[in-house]
Amino acid sequence: MNSMLRSARTLATTASRSSVLRRGYSSESVPDRKVAILGAAGGIGQPLSLLMKLNPLVSNLALYDIANTPGVAADVSHINTRSEVTGYFGDDQLGKALEGADVVIIPAGVPRKPGMTRDDLFNINAGIVKGLCLAIAKYCPHALVNMISNPVNSTVPIAAEVFKKAGTYDEKRLFGVTTLDVVRAKTFYAGKAKVPVAGVNVPVVGGHAGVTILPLFSQATPNANVSEEEIVALTKRTQDGGTEVVEAKAGKGSATLSMAYAGALFADACLKGLNGVPDVVECTFVQSNVTDLPFFASKVRLGKNGVDEVLGLGPLSDFEKEGLEKLKPELLSSIEKGVNFANK
Ligand SMILES: NC(=O)C1=CN([C@@H]2O[C@H](COP(=O)(O)OP(=O)(O)OC[C@H]3O[C@@H](n4cnc5c(N)ncnc54)[C@H](O)[C@@H]3O)[C@@H](O)[C@H]2O)C=CC1
Ligand SMILES: O=C([O-])CC(=O)C(=O)O
């Protein structure tokens, strides 16, 4: 009898919890989480703000930019989902935007125009990222930082150095967002392999620029009959995915909508990890021992403190082994450029 009562009570609690969840309100099983987006009024920032407003794991959404955030925040705040939205605007309000943040997403900075490499953005974006990371070290030193601003291969090392100097660096909490490379690899592979894209998985390792982006199609699932020639073409298309969009936009910026989608996926994975959901694995650019490079993107298991485990590369094809050796000098030099900038 007692056990029946207990199971009835459990069922009732589960039912009421799931109806609470359906309504999108906070509950015991969904802790309060603050997410701050820096650069929230930009091409990525706006759709990313929308997608994070739709995420039921977020209770407080702080939208920060140096311009136009009041309008974006007012607009997004009318959506009837769980999170409270606040807009912050200009240097004076950056501290308030960051205070108490669990996850900080950074899409602040200039995008490419046709003919430019991501590294051409370094001179402007390095300074922007450095300033924002100084503020993160001061106002929310324990937040997980999702770095979107390019060149990611350098901005992540810049952030690490800023945090080290401030005495707040925790390598488990700093991530370069490379999810868009995975999103592209999945889409392009599904198209070639003629399999439903929803079930496709492709790890993408290395970094986030040109040849440093190394999709591992030999590990793609489901396994499909894709020729060597097609793998070479798929690899090149994934590496040049950003440039494909930059050229199509013809001077009006780079990927924003697909990046917002990818950024929202990665932030959601970080929140799930923080909340203790098991087996959350995403590719991301982190401090790493997987190769001899100090930072490297590979599969990472996310947990309650950020990085739980940096996973190895798995077996590589000869073509991928060659790609790995080829990317190392460029990736190392971008990492060093970031480190030197932060320390000068
Ligand atoms: N990691 C990735 O896969 C990708 C990265 N990106 C990068 O994301 C960055 C942003 O791209 P978009 O949104 O298209 O550019 P955008 O120019 O449309 O927006 C950037 C926003 O940053 C803001 N901003 C500038 N300085 C700031 C500061 N100090 N604090 C806060 N906000 C500041 C601007 O006011 C603007 O609203 C670029 O560096 C781009 O290369 C773009 C696509 C993919
Ligand atoms: O290509 C760019 O400049 C933006 C970016 O990082 C991407 O779309 O992957």
Side-chain angles (χ1 to χ4, degrees):
M1 185 65 186
N2 265 351
S3 77
M4 268 176 68
L5 271 177
R6 255 200 314 276
S7 21
R9 227 179 283 134
T10 311
L11 271 177
T13 315
T14 313
S16 84
R17 222 177 252 162
S18 58
S19 77
V20 160
L21 282 177
R22 267 199 304 279
R23 292 201 308 270
Y25 296 127
S26 179
S27 85
E28 221 180 289
S29 54
V30 184
D32 284 350
R33 295 287 177 202
K34 175 171 172 176
V35 172
I37 302 180
L38 312 183
I44 296 168
Q46 291 200 34
L48 180 59
S49 300
L50 167 64
L51 293 172
M52 295 316 293
K53 176 67 176 129
L54 302 185
N55 189 320
L57 301 182
V58 182
S59 58
N60 185 337
L61 185 59
L63 305 183
Y64 173 81
D65 204 302
I66 50 171
N68 303 326
T69 17
V72 176
D75 190 354
V76 169
S77 73
H78 289 185
I79 296 169
N80 59 327
T81 54
R82 179 185 176 200
S83 52
E84 293 274 338
V85 180
T86 315
Y88 299 92
F89 165 53
D91 266 0
D92 294 350
Q93 297 184 4
L94 178 55
K96 278 264 168 286
L98 292 172
E99 261 168 18
D102 297 287
V103 176
V104 179
I105 316 176
I106 313 185
V110 291
R112 283 202 280 165
K113 289 192 187 320
M116 292 169 81
T117 66
R118 289 179 181 82
D119 186 59
D120 292 333
L121 305 172
F122 187 97
N123 288 344
I124 298 178
N125 290 353
I128 293 176
V129 162
K130 187 175 176 185
L132 294 173
C133 288
L134 281 167
I136 290 170
K138 185 164 174 197
Y139 295 104
C140 56
H142 303 300
L144 303 193
V145 176
N146 293 184
M147 184 68 71
I148 292 174
S149 311
N150 270 318
V152 167
N153 293 353
S154 304
T155 52
V156 170
I158 291 173
E161 290 305 305
V162 171
F163 296 151
K164 278 181 201 165
K165 280 193 179 170
T168 65
Y169 183 52
D170 177 353
E171 73 273 15
K172 292 184 175 358
R173 293 174 184 269
L174 175 60
F175 305 88
V177 181
T178 57
T179 321
L180 183 52
D181 302 316
V182 177
V183 163
R184 286 176 176 142
K186 286 178 177 180
T187 304
F188 302 158
Y189 177 83
K192 267 286 178 262
K194 299 194 175 39
V195 292
V197 72
V200 167
N201 249 315
V202 185
V204 182
V205 303
H208 179 68
V211 296
T212 73
I213 299 168
L214 184 62
L216 304 181
F217 287 112
S218 69
Q219 296 175 23
T221 53
N223 198 332
N225 213 356
V226 182
S227 70
E228 282 292 309
E229 224 174 27
E230 284 173 323
I231 295 290
V232 173
L234 281 172
T235 301
K236 175 115 180 66
R237 187 164 181 212
T238 306
Q239 292 174 331
D240 293 345
T243 307
E244 187 177 319
V245 179
V246 168
E247 280 167 6
K249 290 199 174 179
K252 296 268 193 295
S254 56
T256 53
L257 304 173
S258 51
M259 181 59 235
Y261 169 73
L265 273 186
F266 187 69
D268 179 65
C270 287
L271 290 165
K272 285 186 174 133
L274 286 177
N275 291 354
V277 175
D279 290 325
V280 180
V281 174
E282 291 292 333
C283 289
T284 170
F285 185 67
V286 291
Q287 184 176 311
S288 172
N289 294 321
V290 162
T291 66
D292 44 354
L293 298 172
F295 291 89
F296 198 81
S298 66
K299 283 193 202 170
V300 169
R301 190 187 339 277
L302 299 162
K304 290 188 175 174
N305 299 306
V307 173
D308 213 23
E309 188 183 0
V310 179
L311 302 171
L313 295 179
L316 305 186
S317 68
D318 288 344
F319 174 64
E320 291 159 358
K321 282 183 192 151
E322 211 178 284
L324 178 61
E325 290 317 307
K326 255 196 237 156
L327 72 81
K328 285 183 178 174
E330 179 179 328
L331 185 47
L332 181 62
S333 113
S334 300
I335 292 168
E336 284 173 350
K337 189 170 174 180
V339 171
N340 293 338
F341 172 85
N343 288 311
K344 75 174 185 229

